[in-house]
Amino acid sequence: MPPVDPFASQRADRDDPARDGNIIVPSGNDLPKATKAIRAGADGTITLTPFDGAEFVHPVYAGERIDMVIKRVSAANPSNMVIIGYY
C-alpha cells in the first residue's frame, strides 16, 4: 500500500521540504524545473545561474547544500562531481 501524504493538498512554499530530487548533469541548457537547493558531491566549484540572477562560479565543499532557486548548472570542477537537485 503506498504511503499517504497528508500535505499533498497544501500549496508548496520554498521553505517546505523538497518533494523530488535528481542528479544534475551540467550543461548549457536550463534545468527542467527550478531548484529549491542543490548538493555538491565533492570539493570544487559549480558554475550556476540563479533564477533571477547572472551566472557565477560558486566554491563548494563535499556534501555542501546550496539553498538557492537555480535555473542552470553549466559546469562543475571536478567535472565528474555528482550534483543533486532538490525540487
Side-chain angles (χ1 to χ4, degrees):
M1 180 171 198
V4 175
D5 182 0
F7 307 105
S9 64
Q10 298 194 9
R11 191 177 129 249
D13 289 326
R14 293 273 182 219
D15 294 335
D16 291 345
R19 296 180 62 90
D20 194 9
N22 69 333
I23 293 184
I24 294 175
V25 177
S27 77
N29 299 321
D30 287 350
L31 298 169
K33 298 189 262 187
T35 66
K36 287 185 171 205
I38 62 172
R39 184 172 305 274
D43 293 347
T45 60
I46 297 174
T47 304
L48 55 86
T49 305
F51 197 78
D52 293 322
E55 181 177 84
F56 69 99
V57 177
H58 193 302
V60 294
Y61 293 110
E64 179 179 0
R65 190 179 77 202
I66 301 168
D67 296 323
M68 183 182 295
V69 181
I70 297 169
K71 70 177 181 179
R72 181 181 303 140
V73 174
S74 55
N77 185 11
S79 60
N80 65 345
M81 180 188 305
V82 174
I83 303 169
I84 305 294
Y86 299 103
Y87 307 96

